[in-house]
Amino acid sequence: VGSRVMVLEDGQKFLVPLADMINYAPRPPPSSGGTPDRFADYHRREADGSIAVYADRDVAAGRQITEEYGRMDNSLYLAMHGFVPERNPHHCVVL
């Protein structure tokens, strides 16, 4: 079930209920509240074995929590998440 799997920096795959339900939105630039640039910077396995998901941007009270799903081209977004972002600076074509 690849579309529900969270792959952490060491390559291990985890099913993380509820964390896989956070909606996508491109990360804002650092000057407007964006934080680290890599998926692994805000999805971590803790010492006790739990998975911690941290916000990748500032979130105002009462607002929806969203996150960028990682730097990947559109074919991977389609295969893993079932959609293609409207604007994707990481989209590429293999020649």
Side-chain angles (χ1 to χ4, degrees), residues 67-83:
E67 70 174 353
E68 186 171 276
Y69 294 167
R71 292 180 167 191
M72 61 185 91
D73 73 47
N74 288 349
S75 65
L76 289 174
Y77 267 104
L78 185 59
M80 298 302 294
H81 304 294
F83 74 96

Side-chain angles (χ1 to χ4, degrees), residues 1 8-9 11-12 18 21 27 29 42 48 65 81 88 92:
V1 182
L8 299 183
E9 189 165 0
Q12 288 188 298
L18 298 178
M21 297 182 73
R27 182 178 297 106
Y42 55 93
D48 65 1
I65 297 171
H81 304 294
N88 182 0
C92 61

Side-chain angles (χ1 to χ4, degrees), residues 19-35:
D20 65 345
M21 297 182 73
I22 299 171
N23 286 328
Y24 169 86
R27 182 178 297 106
S31 61
S32 64
T35 53

Side-chain angles (χ1 to χ4, degrees), residues 3-93:
S3 66
R4 307 313 272 182
V5 169
M6 185 177 292
V7 181
L8 299 183
E9 189 165 0
D10 60 4
Q12 288 188 298
K13 297 177 181 179
F14 298 90
L15 290 175
V16 185
L18 298 178
D20 65 345
M21 297 182 73
I22 299 171
N23 286 328
Y24 169 86
R27 182 178 297 106
S31 61
S32 64
T35 53
D37 208 28
R38 297 176 328 116
F39 184 85
D41 288 337
Y42 55 93
H43 297 80
R44 293 193 285 270
R45 188 159 188 208
E46 302 292 341
D48 65 1
S50 64
I51 306 295
V53 179
Y54 299 89
D56 69 351
R57 65 198 76 206
D58 294 335
V59 181
R63 302 296 299 179
Q64 177 180 199
I65 297 171
T66 59
E67 70 174 353
E68 186 171 276
Y69 294 167
R71 292 180 167 191
M72 61 185 91
D73 73 47
N74 288 349
S75 65
L76 289 174
Y77 267 104
L78 185 59
M80 298 302 294
H81 304 294
F83 74 96
V84 174
E86 189 173 313
R87 289 176 299 225
N88 182 0
H90 309 293
H91 180 58
C92 61
V93 176

